[in-house]
Amino acid sequence: MVASEAAVVTGQQIETKGFETQSIDTLCINTIRTLAIDAVQQANSGHPGAPMGLAPVAYSLWQQFLNYDPADPTWLNRDRFVLSNGHASMLLYAMLHLAGVREVDEHNQVLDELAVPIEEIKRFRQMGSRTPGHPESHVTSGVETTTGPLGQGVGNSVGMAMAGKWLAANFNRPGYEVFSYNVYTMCSDGDLMEGIGGEAASLAGHLKLSNLCWMYDHNHITLDGPADWSFTEDVATRFIGYGWNVTRVADANDLEMLARAFKTFQDTTDRPTLIIVDSHIGYGSPHKHDSNASHGEPLGEEEVKLTKKFYGWPEDAKFLVPPGVREHFQDGIGKRGASARAQWSKMYAEYAQKNPELADQLHRMQRRELPEGWDKKLPVFPADAKGVATRESSGKVLNALAEAIPWMIGGSADLATSNKTNLKGAGDFQPGEYGGRNLHFGVREHVMGAALNGLVVSGIRAFGATFFNFSDYMKASIRLAALMEIPSIFIYTHDSIGVGEDGPTHQPIEQLAGLRAMPNLIVLRPGDANEVVESWRVIAGLQAQPVALVLTRQNLPTLDRTKYAAASGTAKGAYVLADAPGGKPELILIGTGSEVALCVEAYEKLKAEGIAARVVSMPSMEIFDRQDAAYKESVLPSSVTARVSVEMASTFGWGKYVGLKGRSVGMHRFGASAPLKDLLKFFGFTVEAVVEEAHKALAENKKS
Ligand SMILES: Cc1ncc(C[n+]2csc(CCOP(=O)(O)OP(=O)(O)O)c2C)c(N)n1
Ligand SMILES: [Mg+2]
């Protein structure tokens, strides 16, 4: 039976042959549920439980409250919806489909076609579909951020809410409220168990982000079994302690109470809101709701039928959207969103006329473009043997850049004075003072990473800094930035055993290799102040790649660029810094960061001995790797096999550049707590040691 053909809409009730009479609300909610059930069943993989339990919450929010026009998912002032429990992805895909959200192309143009047509729901979790296992923002229009690793979405949502406040403070003008959007985030037990969830809630509470609402799916279950096997704390009290407004909906199916909770959020102007939604529906199907059946896997054909029966659904119908359902969404979120956006657009047209500069900025932000002349004030550092730490020169360059790019904002995880990320005279972002450009993340590296991603998907060029060793604390967020193809800027100082006395707990070893192994992340480790300038030039231009900028604590000489090659070679990832006579080396030294100067010293010594050496500075392996073969050959000629890399880190990965006949000077154990000069001697980062390795490499290569 094709049930959709037999449907009759009568007032608020809808009667369909095969359906029990149900209200249009229930019909819509059950459509969301059964789409999720069918998609998961067809894929034979995925989580049906959470979408089933949360369907009424999503329905109530989207239909009545979300300020969102499905006809334009790029609208600047749209409310943001984040599904932090990304395993419930089918919930989001069903909402995008039923609300009729449009597809957006790579030029940010809205198309007529749907972002998630029903065919894509049928292709849930299949190769190349727009409905991957977890929501991916670079794959599916209308998905605001990529979620799946629990805790990341709630972390992103804090950044999005910060962005909302910052944008409002900087762009709104009397009578012109360009930015007033809210950020709604669904989350699960896992999101609140994860450490990053706690960091996010703590930061949001401190910042009094009244535009942030989390809906917690308190469904008493996780993957392994009952949530109370591992999670028994009083979440409400905890969030009250963080400074949140906490409200409760005792039954996820109670649309009236849900509406009341959302109103409470909208009326709360001094802090974020947590809505704790109690549900039990997640235990397998409602049918066997107190069995221990997993709700994190397909129900199975039999159970699917029983569940549909329970919902008053035709048992054999698949991917059914009964007549009246799409229309009802169109009448709700569709009309409300269209009218809100139309009003806004009228207001914005006037605003743009009166404030062309601000409008131009917003236009560029959305496209990740830079202002004209953004690089005019970048400094040039004169040669200086005593030199300057790259964290220091980076701080100067960052300030020059931020002056030219008003939407470049950021901060550090309580180390701004060490990381040198303070933007002078740019004010602090604090509760009630949301216009400032210096963000204070506190000692919360992980949520700093996630919040940066949230700021960046909101159009802001956000940076965040900490010690390089603690990049591990935020690795999951770096990884998502890379996957999402967004230009988050991660600044890491104290990049090696060069930190000296702090010892091995603070001395990175394997971090460079680990980050270089990550797809789509650019790692830059500049060798002197002018390479720092050139690194920032590269970073500013990034549109779809995050970067890890790796900087020293200790001073490095600023190389004399009249004697050695220009730092502009940084843009190619690696370049010949100092060469052998006639460009015919018998030996190549390759260094990065603080070891570039060491290579240059060794080169001078070898030169005095009559050895024809070349120094290659390699600030970025990733950028070098994407140069053409001819350029690569010109920097690392295949005929020259006597090669030595020098880097105060794990040597993992260097084989690719030094080859089987090359040698790598690096770290093969954890560091030690001692003055820097003792460490350098102990671990072999001296001119003598590098020269000795060079001789060995030459001897080995002559042998063969
Ligand atoms: C960081 C992280 N760890 C583990 C997982 C695997 N995982 C997916 S869902 C889930 C737990 C589900 O429990 P809950 O958060 O309560 O969500 P529910 O099943 O109730 O929807 C886990 C552990 C994950 N997605 N992310
Ligand atoms: Mg749960």
Side-chain angles (χ1 to χ4, degrees):
M1 181 204 68
V2 183
S4 57
E5 283 172 7
V8 195
V9 182
T10 49
Q12 268 310 329
Q13 302 291 310
I14 185 155
E15 283 172 37
T16 307
K17 229 201 275 168
F19 294 97
E20 288 168 24
T21 302
Q22 43 190 273
S23 76
I24 183 71
D25 290 332
T26 309
L27 194 70
C28 289
I29 290 165
N30 287 338
T31 306
I32 301 168
R33 286 174 169 148
T34 50
L35 281 178
I37 290 170
D38 288 338
V40 169
Q41 188 59 37
Q42 178 139 318
N44 198 22
S45 118
H47 300 242
M52 285 157 69
L54 284 169
V57 185
Y59 174 73
S60 167
L61 173 68
W62 283 51
Q63 191 65 344
Q64 287 186 66
F65 297 96
L66 201 70
N67 202 33
Y68 188 96
D69 183 1
D72 185 3
T74 71
W75 176 27
L76 276 183
N77 196 35
R78 68 187 182 280
D79 282 347
R80 270 63 170 178
F81 175 80
V82 176
L83 187 74
S84 192
N85 43 343
H87 59 273
S89 55
M90 257 317 301
L91 175 70
L92 181 50
Y93 300 143
M95 296 311 292
L96 292 171
H97 173 71
L98 295 173
V101 173
R102 296 305 160 90
E103 174 72 356
V104 181
D105 72 10
E106 65 272 25
H107 309 294
N108 221 31
Q109 293 304 307
V110 182
L111 308 178
D112 275 342
E113 69 179 283
L114 289 182
V116 181
I118 196 83
E119 299 76 46
E120 291 296 316
I121 290 186
K122 292 180 184 168
R123 295 211 303 138
F124 181 48
R125 292 186 162 226
Q126 303 309 303
M127 179 72 85
S129 77
R130 289 187 204 158
T131 48
H134 297 83
E136 296 180 38
S137 55
H138 69 296
V139 170
T140 315
S141 304
V143 173
E144 303 281 1
T145 182
T146 297
T147 53
L150 290 162
Q152 293 296 326
V154 289
N156 295 155
S157 75
V158 173
M160 292 182 192
M162 289 168 75
K165 292 285 188 190
W166 188 85
L167 289 165
N170 284 283
F171 287 89
N172 290 357
R173 291 291 179 272
Y176 297 94
E177 204 174 40
V178 178
F179 291 101
S180 59
Y181 66 79
N182 289 319
V183 182
Y184 294 93
T185 311
M186 273 187 179
C187 57
S188 64
D189 296 303
D191 287 297
L192 299 193
M193 276 190 263
E194 290 289 353
I196 186 176
E199 293 178 33
S202 164
L203 181 60
H206 161 75
L207 289 171
K208 300 188 194 299
L209 298 174
S210 61
N211 55 347
L212 182 63
C213 178
W214 289 4
M215 298 147 273
Y216 162 37
D217 181 22
H218 187 222
N219 64 359
H220 307 273
I221 190 167
T222 63
L223 285 190
D224 279 351
D228 65 11
W229 282 0
S230 55
F231 193 41
T232 46
E233 72 209 25
D234 182 342
V235 169
T237 303
R238 188 177 132 205
F239 273 71
I240 289 167
Y242 287 141
W244 285 55
N245 173 35
V246 178
T247 178
R248 194 157 206 137
V249 174
D251 175 5
N253 292 306
D254 188 337
L255 295 181
E256 211 178 301
M257 287 305 289
L258 283 167
R260 235 191 261 184
F262 289 126
K263 279 209 191 79
T264 305
F265 157 65
Q266 292 188 342
D267 292 343
T268 303
T269 55
D270 59 348
R271 58 216 149 120
T273 294
L274 176 72
I275 305 176
I276 302 176
V277 183
D278 286 296
S279 74
H280 290 270
I281 206 160
Y283 292 83
S285 78
H287 171 72
K288 50 179 181 184
H289 110 352
D290 46 13
S291 83
N292 235 353
S294 167
H295 70 141
E297 49 190 54
L299 299 181
E301 295 291 354
E302 263 324 289
E303 191 60 26
V304 166
K305 284 191 181 174
L306 291 170
T307 305
K308 285 185 178 158
K309 201 167 166 203
F310 178 90
Y311 288 141
W313 218 247
E315 285 172 39
D316 295 321
K318 288 209 167 115
F319 300 102
L320 173 65
V321 180
V325 167
R326 289 196 185 89
E327 293 76 2
H328 187 63
F329 276 97
Q330 196 44 45
D331 278 347
I333 184 172
K335 275 198 184 146
R336 203 165 33 75
S339 124
R341 183 168 66 91
Q343 254 181 312
W344 182 93
S345 300
K346 197 162 155 253
M347 177 271 295
Y348 186 73
E350 250 181 63
Y351 169 90
Q353 209 167 35
K354 287 190 181 169
N355 306 280
E357 243 178 71
L358 295 179
D360 176 66
Q361 288 182 15
L362 287 173
H363 183 83
R364 287 173 197 266
M365 286 169 74
Q366 294 321 301
R367 282 155 191 76
R368 296 186 180 139
E369 292 166 2
L370 299 168
E372 299 298 331
W374 60 272
D375 59 350
K376 289 249 162 64
K377 288 201 180 143
L378 289 181
V380 177
F381 292 88
D384 175 5
K386 186 179 136 282
V388 55
T390 48
R391 63 168 170 163
E392 198 77 55
S393 47
S394 173
K396 292 203 168 98
V397 181
L398 175 62
N399 267 277
L401 258 189
E403 238 177 83
I405 309 171
W407 56 95
M408 183 169 252
I409 76 176
S412 127
D414 197 47
L415 292 165
T417 38
S418 281
N419 302 141
K420 308 291 174 193
T421 46
N422 241 338
L423 300 181
K424 284 180 202 78
D428 294 308
F429 184 91
Q430 283 293 352
E433 292 164 37
Y434 296 120
R437 295 171 64 189
N438 287 296
L439 312 178
H440 298 277
F441 292 103
V443 192
R444 300 184 188 92
E445 292 83 6
H446 201 173
V447 82
M448 174 170 76
L452 288 179
N453 294 345
L455 284 152
V456 172
V457 298
S458 310
I460 288 167
R461 285 311 299 273
F463 61 85
T466 184
F467 288 171
F468 191 34
N469 202 47
F470 305 140
S471 60
D472 290 338
Y473 271 56
M474 50 191 292
K475 185 105 168 261
S477 301
I478 307 173
R479 188 170 191 277
L480 279 169
L483 175 62
M484 285 159 81
E485 302 178 2
I486 58 170
S488 304
I489 301 169
F490 304 106
I491 301 173
Y492 297 115
T493 67
H494 298 62
D495 69 347
S496 71
I497 55 166
V499 308
E501 291 85 347
D502 270 344
T505 59
H506 283 50
Q507 293 163 340
I509 302 290
E510 74 285 11
Q511 284 66 20
L512 274 170
L515 291 179
R516 283 170 181 156
M518 191 183 286
N520 201 41
L521 175 73
I522 301 281
V523 180
L524 273 159
R525 188 171 185 248
D528 79 341
N530 289 307
E531 279 194 15
V532 167
V533 177
E534 298 308 314
S535 295
W536 273 107
R537 205 187 289 280
V538 170
I539 295 167
L542 293 174
Q543 291 184 313
Q545 288 184 291
V547 65
L549 178 63
V550 180
L551 305 167
T552 68
R553 169 183 181 269
Q554 74 275 24
N555 284 355
L556 306 183
T558 306
L559 297 171
D560 181 350
R561 298 287 171 167
T562 59
K563 193 165 167 202
Y564 305 112
S568 53
T570 300
K572 295 203 157 164
Y575 63 101
V576 179
L577 177 66
D579 211 358
K584 297 247 175 288
E586 54 187 311
L587 167 88
I588 304 175
L589 301 173
I590 315 171
T592 83
S594 44
E595 287 65 74
V596 172
L598 182 57
C599 288
V600 169
E601 272 189 80
Y603 159 91
E604 295 293 353
K605 198 137 187 211
L606 290 163
K607 192 170 156 186
E609 291 175 15
I611 292 169
R614 162 182 289 189
V615 177
V616 169
S617 175
M618 189 178 275
S620 174
M621 290 181 178
E622 300 78 24
I623 298 177
F624 180 65
D625 286 352
R626 66 183 190 211
Q627 303 306 317
D628 61 33
Y631 180 76
K632 284 192 253 190
E633 175 68 18
S634 76
V635 176
L636 298 175
S638 36
S639 60
V640 187
T641 51
R643 303 177 183 186
V644 180
S645 71
V646 189
E647 187 173 68
M648 291 203 286
S650 162
T651 58
F652 191 94
W654 274 106
K656 181 172 171 185
Y657 303 101
V658 299
L660 291 176
K661 294 177 181 170
R663 304 181 70 84
S664 288
V665 181
M667 293 294 293
H668 302 281
R669 48 159 278 188
F670 289 114
S673 170
L676 177 56
K677 64 174 187 355
D678 297 340
L679 289 171
L680 294 180
K681 199 159 166 216
F682 184 82
F683 287 111
F685 294 96
T686 60
V687 179
E688 295 68 38
V690 174
V691 167
E692 199 185 314
E693 287 298 315
H695 282 300
K696 280 187 195 161
L698 281 168
E700 294 269 311
N701 280 274
K702 271 182 192 133
K703 248 191 275 168
S704 49

